[in-house]
Amino acid sequence: MAGITERNQQKLDLANVGYSMKYIDEWQPKTTLHRHKPSYNAEGDIVAEVGTTVGNVPGAPDYVLSKARIGLFQWPPSDGCVCPWCQESSKAPKVEKQETGGEEKNTSPSKLGPHYKG
């Protein structure tokens, strides 16, 4: 059982990853979590893609918080998601291959400036 200090820290941690402040005070049944970060095996191969689900897991705030730290949330990933993994993928610069030479070209507007005519 968590004390008041731990409960307040859990509330703050849950709020920082997108959960409501009252979440920790309500009983939570089993839930389904969605991957916002791919899962890799020891060889570095992806074993679970972003968007796949993990069902029938405890809905207790401390458990959900521990899973949120590794990219599992109760909502599916989207462009409007505020988790670090969705924010990172939405801010990643687009990389294109040039037709000649095969070198990569960064087309991020922030890197090229507002007057770039490309």
Side-chain angles (χ1 to χ4, degrees):
M1 182 91 189
I4 190 75
T5 305
E6 290 89 9
R7 287 172 52 89
N8 286 338
Q9 184 61 46
Q10 285 177 346
K11 278 185 180 181
L12 182 61
D13 291 344
L14 286 166
N16 287 337
V17 294
Y19 286 92
S20 70
M21 291 295 280
K22 68 178 186 171
Y23 179 80
I24 198 169
D25 294 325
E26 297 176 1
W27 171 257
Q28 298 297 320
K30 296 283 186 177
T31 188
T32 299
L33 300 177
H34 301 267
R35 292 188 189 280
H36 290 234
K37 174 185 174 186
S39 180
Y40 298 92
N41 64 13
E43 289 80 31
D45 301 324
I46 295 177
V47 294
E49 297 283 337
V50 170
T52 57
T53 59
V54 180
N56 201 29
V57 296
D62 57 338
Y63 182 83
V64 172
L65 178 60
S66 70
K67 296 305 171 188
R69 291 181 178 135
I70 61 170
L72 292 165
F73 295 94
Q74 290 178 304
W75 58 86
S78 67
D79 292 336
C81 182
V82 297
C83 80
W85 298 278
C86 289
Q87 292 296 308
E88 180 180 298
S89 65
S90 68
K91 290 181 181 177
K94 296 177 184 171
V95 176
E96 294 178 358
K97 293 280 185 182
Q98 294 178 349
E99 290 184 25
T100 59
E103 297 176 11
E104 295 180 352
K105 179 174 89 173
N106 184 342
T107 60
S108 171
S110 62
K111 301 279 187 203
L112 299 175
H115 303 294
Y116 179 74
K117 300 292 183 193

